[in-house]
Each structure stands twice: as structure tokens, then as C-alpha cells.
């Protein structure tokens, strides 16, 4: 995934404004990976016998997936860039990923999919944090 992201950034016909392209590519890739992982975790939670006890986890997974997907798409666009919107979008993604990781960790001992999801969310939150710092 990151190879395609990096390749696409390299083909952009205009200057990216001095952004750290490695951090940008890592954040885009982490967002899409996290979106997929959260979607799969929500689906796995729906298949668990104790599904009623996983309602908050499912909701948090789905919210995080949507926010990560949206953030990855927004970060993939550079024409007409608005720094304030971009920074707030990345920060919202960081918050969603942290909340999802915290919720999934509550179930990680019983459900392997929740453990994997929590790890993906932590990686995405870290990538978001590093990009915010780089854009700062």
C-alpha cells in the first residue's frame, strides 16, 4: 500500500509545499489499513455469540473506519489544500483511532480480532501524530 501512495505523491505535478512526503505517505497508508481493519473487526464482533456486549466496540469500529477512510482520501488530495481543514481532519482521525484502540483493548484477551484492530488503531494514531508534528 505505502509503495502506491509514495508513487502517487511522486507523480504530483505541483510542489507539495515542503511536506514530509514519507510521513504523509505513512499516514495515508495507515488510515486505509486502519479503516479496513476496523471494518473487519466490527464484522467479526457481529459474529460473536456475545454480540450484545460488543455494541460499543462495533460502533467505535465503524466510526473509526469511516473517519480513517475519509482522512486517507482527504490527505490524498493536494489541489486547493487548506492547512486548517487538513490538520483538524488528522486530529479527528487521531482521536477516533485512540478511542477505538482503547475500546478494542477491553476485548483483546477474548477476541483476537479486537487485539489486531487495537494495534492497527495505535499505528494509525501514531502516524497521525507524526504528520501533525511535521505539518506544525
Amino acid at each position: 500500500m505505502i509503495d502506491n501512495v509514495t508513487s502517487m505523491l511522486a507523480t504530483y505535478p505541483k510542489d507539495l509545499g515542503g511536506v514530509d512526503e514519507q510521513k504523509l505517505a505513512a499516514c495515508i497508508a495507515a488510515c486505509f489499513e486502519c479503516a479496513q481493519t476496523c471494518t473487519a473487526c466490527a464484522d467479526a464482533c457481529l459474529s460473536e455469540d456475545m454480540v450484545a456486549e460488543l455494541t460499543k466496540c462495533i460502533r467505535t469500529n465503524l466510526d473509526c473506519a469511516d473517519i480513517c477512510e475519509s482522512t486517507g482520501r482527504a490527505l490524498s488530495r493536494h489541489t486547493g489544500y487548506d492547512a486548517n481543514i487538513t490538520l483538524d481532519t488528522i486530529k479527528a482521525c487521531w482521536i477516533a483511532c485512540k478511542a477505538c484502540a482503547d475500546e478494542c483493548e477491553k476485548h483483546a484477551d477474548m477476541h483476537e480480532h479486537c487485539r489486531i484492530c487495537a494495534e492497527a488503531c495505535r499505528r494509525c494514531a501514531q502516524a497521525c501524530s507524526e504528520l501533525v508534528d511535521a505539518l506544525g
Side-chain angles (χ1 to χ4, degrees):
M1 172 72 157
I2 195 161
D3 291 338
N4 286 344
V5 174
T6 302
S7 296
M8 288 305 294
L9 289 174
T11 66
Y12 191 70
K14 304 281 186 190
D15 179 27
L16 290 174
V19 66
D20 184 326
E21 289 183 32
Q22 286 184 307
K23 286 188 173 51
L24 176 59
C27 191
I28 292 168
C31 285
F32 288 126
E33 175 193 24
C34 192
Q36 185 280 324
T37 304
C38 288
T39 299
C41 187
D43 185 64
C45 285
L46 286 168
S47 294
E48 294 290 350
D49 291 337
M50 58 182 289
V51 67
E53 296 172 34
L54 296 169
T55 302
K56 185 175 181 187
C57 191
I58 295 164
R59 171 59 192 256
T60 307
N61 281 167
L62 296 174
D63 287 348
C64 189
D66 288 345
I67 292 167
C68 286
E69 181 79 23
S70 177
T71 301
R73 285 194 318 267
L75 291 177
S76 296
R77 296 188 291 263
H78 307 287
T79 304
Y81 171 80
D82 184 318
N84 292 323
I85 292 171
T86 300
L87 284 172
D88 285 347
T89 300
I90 301 166
K91 289 174 186 175
C93 189
W94 177 82
I95 291 167
C97 287
K98 184 179 178 325
C100 192
D102 290 348
E103 182 61 31
C104 279
E105 283 174 354
K106 294 176 185 176
H107 313 285
D109 289 342
M110 292 179 57
H111 306 293
E112 182 70 3
H113 52 85
C114 286
R115 184 194 63 75
I116 293 168
C117 189
E119 289 175 0
C121 289
R122 295 272 181 232
R123 283 191 303 273
C124 191
Q126 182 64 36
C128 287
S129 175
E130 289 175 9
L131 184 57
V132 166
D133 290 345
L135 294 173

